[in-house]
Each structure stands twice: as C-alpha cells, then as structure tokens.
Amino acid sequence: MNRQLPPVLRTAAELHALRADAKGRRTVVMTMGALHEGHATLVRTARDLAGPDGQVVVTVFVNPLQFGPHEDLDRYPRTLDSDVDIAGAAGADAVFAPGVDEVYPGGEPQVRVTAGPMGERLEGATRPGHFDGMLTVVAKLLHLTRPDTALFGQKDAQQLALIRRMVSDLNFPVEIVGVPTVREGDGLALSSRNRYLSEAERGTALALSRALFAGRDRLAAQYALVARASTAPTTDERAAALAKMGESRASADAHAVSVAAAGLPAAVRAAAGAVLADAAAAEPPLALDYVALVDPATFTEVPDAFTGTAVLAVAAKVGTTRLIDNIPLEFGPVDAVGTAAATAAPPSGDRTADGAHL
C-alpha cells in the first residue's frame, strides 16, 4: 500500500487554513531540515501527544538569524524531499517549509527576542547572537503554527532551557516538551552535522559521548564508595574494628571518601576532562570548546555542594565540524547517600530520542 506524503505548506495562509480544520490538539516539531532518526523520534512523540484526532506539524526552516558570519549557513544541508518522507513516515500531518521572505517579509527583523544572561554562556559565548536569532524564529513559528504543544530535543539543552524561559517570561500559551537524545550504536549523538565527519574524524568525535559517560560513571562510583563508607562503624569503634583486622588504612580511606563526597561535581568534571584531553592528542585532534557541569535552569556552573539535576555539557570541533552533546546527572544529598543514585544517559548502545537542531 502506498503511503500518502504529508502536504508541504509554504505560506502562513496555508498553515492557518490547516489549523481551521483541526479537531484536536496541535503539536509542532521545529527543525532546520536534514531530518534523521532523532527528528523522527520527536515526530512520533508528537503524534502520540496529539492523538488520532490531533494535528502534527513539522516545520523546516534554515534560519539565517542564528548563523554567525563564519558559520555554515550556505553549507547546511537542505534535503526537503527526504525530510517530507521521514516526517510523513513518523506521523506528521503537514510540513511547513516557508521561504525566508515568508518568515521575514520585511527583511531582517528590527525587533528581536533577546536571550538575556543565559544566552551569553557556553554556546552563547562561542556563538554571539545565536540564541537571539533562535528565540526570534521560535517565537515567530509559535505564532504562525499556534500549537498546543511544541517538542524540542534535549541534545540542545541550552536551547531548550531558553525556549522554556521565553515561553514562561512572555506568557506564550504553549506547553514545551523536551525529548531525550537519540544515540547511534557507538554512542555518538545523532546530528545533521555528523555527515560532515570523515571516518577518522568520527572516531575522534566519539570522545564527546565517552567523556559524558565517564563523568556519569565516576559519579556512580563515588556514590558507591561513599555509601560503603557510611555503613562502617563510626570513629573509635570503626578504627578499632578495622585495626583488629589489620585494616587501619581502610578506616582512613573510608573517612577520606566521606569527606570527598562534597566534591562530587569536581570529580565528574575531572573524569570527563581526562577523556577530552586524550582526544586532543588524537589524530585528527579534538579541539575542545568547553566542558561544563551546569544548573539546567541557568546554565551556570554548579557548586561543590550541589544537589538536584545538573547537565554535563560538552562542545568541540573535529576537523571543520562543531558538535555538542550533554547528559543529565542527578546529585543526591550526602546525608542520604546510601540511597542516592547517579542517573544519566543510558549506555551508548541504547537508543532514546534526539534533539532537533533549530
């Protein structure tokens, strides 16, 4: 049986006519095209949220406002026919693929959304103005598509945080849903830019996910050590018991582990940094932009005594291709370390959902 492709809408008028036919919730997935399995996962999730009576709209627009003067706007892949096929197979009802003149009919907009202090950190520091351009087009596309729910990938964690902040600060009547990252079998996060990597460059690029997993594993190991130390008898009783067994050093080690528990963020950073340092000496080398352990609400570095969810994020260039990746990590209180757990992305062979590049 031949599957019918979703219609490609080019104008706001066509999009609004589609909205008039909606009977249920409308969900939107915003992309810059070059769709892959990660985007397809976003669309399938949108389909589930919309239900059988709702609408799923996928936007495809390469936004010039979020590219710097030396970035890859002209090089960015444009594969609309393939995008429509992937979107349709995943459950999209329509693809909105406007031209630049439709989105910015008066040329570059004079009034834009400003990302504020969060937009100047990490990705914003490396790519000045990027997040202002991203938020401006997201705001416009939210107005044009008028969704009940919009889905974005967690791979672009800072982008997702800023969109949530914009929606909250400016009272957009839309629910923002973050969808976890899809990884290939070797752990590399799916990205439209992966196609630029040579075989050797791809081997080096795997250091990004390996660094994140090393930080995750170090956190889990540290918690296991602290939990074991917390079960030992305290002070004099512990020392006496271990001394009888000839394990006075174990007593000291257990005490040191307990003291070190407050420095768990530093241990995570060190583990990730060690992997990235090795990759910098590889051939071809990895050129690190940043590795950071940040609060997902502000994208500022977390303190040593931090508790709650943090994001371990990395950005680097391999050859001429710049890649980003991140995983969430959970930091539990030290006094509850016996039951605390460090959680993050699944092992590299698992596949969960990806972030769409805007």
Side-chain angles (χ1 to χ4, degrees), residues 215 218-219 222 260-274 293 301-306 312 331:
R218 174 64 63 83
L219 183 59
Q222 290 289 102
L264 290 173
V268 169
R269 294 185 185 101
L293 185 63
E301 291 282 353
V302 301
D304 283 346
F306 179 81
L312 180 60
F331 289 81

Side-chain angles (χ1 to χ4, degrees), residues 94-283:
V95 173
F96 180 49
V100 174
D101 291 343
E102 183 71 19
V103 178
Y104 303 118
E108 286 199 12
Q110 298 296 303
V111 177
R112 307 188 187 197
V113 178
T114 300
M118 195 197 313
E120 298 172 357
R121 299 169 188 142
L122 299 187
E123 286 298 291
T126 300
R127 308 175 66 189
H130 165 73
F131 285 126
D132 292 356
M134 179 275 295
L135 289 177
T136 297
V137 80
V138 169
K140 293 204 69 161
L141 289 172
L142 287 175
H143 287 310
L144 289 169
T145 58
R146 303 174 187 176
D148 299 291
T149 304
L151 293 86
F152 298 90
Q154 291 177 359
K155 186 174 79 67
D156 295 293
Q158 193 171 4
Q159 169 181 280
L160 176 59
L162 282 163
I163 291 170
R164 282 177 166 152
R165 185 62 186 257
M166 177 184 73
V167 164
S168 175
D169 285 355
L170 301 184
N171 299 105
F172 278 75
V174 61
E175 177 189 13
I176 302 299
V177 173
V179 181
T181 302
V182 167
R183 299 184 180 278
E184 302 199 34
D186 56 11
L188 187 67
L190 285 178
S191 169
S192 301
R193 291 184 168 94
N194 288 352
R195 68 186 68 196
Y196 300 146
L197 297 169
S198 69
E199 183 177 351
E201 289 170 344
R202 182 187 173 87
T204 297
L206 291 174
L208 274 74
S209 57
R210 288 172 180 163
L212 299 178
F213 298 150
R216 173 200 63 192
D217 294 345
R218 174 64 63 83
L219 183 59
Q222 290 289 102
Y223 270 123
L225 285 171
V226 176
R228 188 167 64 191
S230 69
T231 62
T234 59
T235 325
D236 294 341
E237 292 178 350
R238 176 178 62 195
L242 291 170
K244 287 181 180 179
M245 299 163 53
E247 297 185 18
S248 56
R249 178 170 178 179
S251 175
D253 288 347
H255 176 68
V257 169
S258 296
V259 171
L264 290 173
V268 169
R269 294 185 185 101
V275 175
L276 296 167
D278 287 344
E283 184 55 45

Side-chain angles (χ1 to χ4, degrees), residues 72 81 148 197 224 229 245 321 335:
D72 58 353
D81 289 344
D148 299 291
L197 297 169
M245 299 163 53
T321 304
D335 58 3

